[in-house]
Amino acid sequence: MTELLKTHGLSKTFGGLAAVSGVDLAVEEGEIHCLIGPNGAGKSTLFKLIMGTYPPSAGTITFRGTNVTEERPYQRVKKGLSIKMQTPSIFKELPVRQNIHIALQHHVTKQQLPTEEDRLLGMLELTSDATKAAGALSHGQQQWLEIGMALALKPSLLLMDEPTAGMSPEETFRTGELIQKLNSGGTTILVVEHDMAFVRQIAQRVTVLHFGKVFARGSISEILADPRVAEIYLGKTHDH
Ligand code: ADP
Ligand code: MG
């Protein structure tokens, strides 16, 4: 097993608050790794540290054996890191195909463009909606289009922050299938998720974050069987 991404002692404080605190995380090449934890646990902050949106207060980030802690976000993207943010940033007034076209245009040759567009549209099951304005798609389809735009960069590691937020159970399940399809195609995936049914559907390994620290880690069955993990979920008040 090769470690694609590794963080060591990664920390981020905001004022006096330790949002992320001494996190050691390893993502193996080829896996689907889920990051779970109650609201405010530091999951999104950890993602922003990995992508380089924030500089860490302490610790290191290694990608493919290279220390990228000091690198700018675009340099990390060039190395194969890509993120699907929580809020879609698609161009709603433009056709679906045009959105994919824009995402792809600097990454493939002019000759390859139509083929690559077709391939992505097919994978996202958006072929029959290609000429629709992106804003006319369902909420779930807009999220898939956003995933497609992140994929245009051909990432080796795709980070997804709550990809099923606001989706129907049917859309959530199909998102799980899409993630598994991407993973079979060779993309390593690190996903933040709340929906435990969804985590059960896709996860191979799970890391649990609580108050900015790694609280537990293991296979999905180990995590589901861990009474301490159940407690931090049940012990919290529903705030979203
Ligand atoms: P999660 O994604 O697990 O819900 P976050 O990473 O968004 O958690 O937040 C972790 C903690 O850090 C929370 O207490 C949040 O209020 C705080 N936090 C996140 N971003 C900032 C910021 N830019 N400035 C100050 N505090 C922040
Ligand atoms: Mg978050």
Side-chain angles (χ1 to χ4, degrees):
M1 280 275 209
T2 322
E3 268 166 8
L4 193 54
L5 175 81
K6 198 175 161 69
T7 72
H8 180 67
L10 200 60
S11 304
K12 180 72 184 174
T13 52
F14 294 112
L17 175 87
V20 171
S21 179
V23 168
D24 295 340
L25 174 74
V27 178
E28 308 274 358
E29 181 137 43
E31 73 168 331
I32 300 178
H33 195 121
C34 282
L35 186 63
I36 67 170
N39 254 358
K43 305 178 297 295
S44 294
T45 303
L46 180 57
F47 265 26
K48 287 172 187 158
L49 293 172
I50 294 169
M51 288 309 298
T53 314
Y54 298 144
S57 310
T60 56
I61 304 157
T62 309
F63 186 65
R64 282 198 189 290
T66 306
N67 186 333
V68 298
T69 317
E70 304 289 326
E71 289 193 355
R72 311 285 307 144
Y74 78 88
Q75 294 174 299
R76 300 181 198 205
V77 168
K78 263 198 199 157
K79 285 196 160 68
L81 263 168
S82 185
I83 189 163
K84 189 231 162 268
M85 308 288 268
Q86 224 164 319
T87 41
S89 55
I90 55 172
F91 303 103
K92 294 201 175 191
E93 67 287 359
L94 295 179
V96 170
R97 179 182 287 275
Q98 187 68 19
N99 271 269
I100 297 282
H101 180 95
I102 289 166
L104 278 169
Q105 60 187 353
H106 300 300
H107 303 282
V108 300
T109 65
K110 250 205 175 81
Q111 289 78 1
Q112 290 172 315
L113 259 172
T115 323
E116 271 300 292
E117 285 169 23
D118 288 340
R119 189 183 70 81
L120 278 176
L121 287 168
M123 172 176 272
L124 304 167
E125 295 179 24
L126 291 174
T127 305
S128 55
D129 300 297
T131 57
K132 266 192 198 166
L137 296 176
S138 74
H139 173 77
Q141 289 176 316
Q142 291 188 27
Q143 298 284 332
W144 297 331
L145 179 56
E146 172 89 7
I147 293 171
M149 293 176 78
L151 285 176
L153 304 168
K154 288 225 162 60
S156 46
L157 176 61
L158 178 63
L159 275 59
M160 303 171 121
D161 197 348
E162 299 189 27
T164 71
M167 284 188 183
S168 68
E170 156 77 13
E171 288 174 330
T172 298
F173 182 75
R174 287 181 60 195
T175 303
E177 291 183 325
L178 173 60
I179 289 174
Q180 284 172 322
K181 199 155 50 168
L182 299 178
N183 182 247
S184 310
T187 312
T188 305
I189 292 167
L190 178 62
V191 52
V192 164
E193 191 50 55
H194 272 293
D195 184 330
M196 285 308 280
F198 180 74
V199 171
R200 219 175 288 132
Q201 182 191 351
I202 63 165
Q204 294 156 6
R205 291 202 307 155
V206 179
T207 296
V208 185
L209 224 56
H210 190 35
F211 292 128
K213 292 193 167 72
V214 174
F215 181 78
R217 62 176 110 227
S219 67
I220 177 67
S221 45
E222 286 164 345
I223 293 301
L224 289 172
D226 187 336
R228 291 161 60 245
V229 173
E231 197 173 315
I232 62 169
Y233 272 95
L234 297 174
K236 81 180 190 98
T237 49
H238 249 279
D239 51 1
H240 66 101

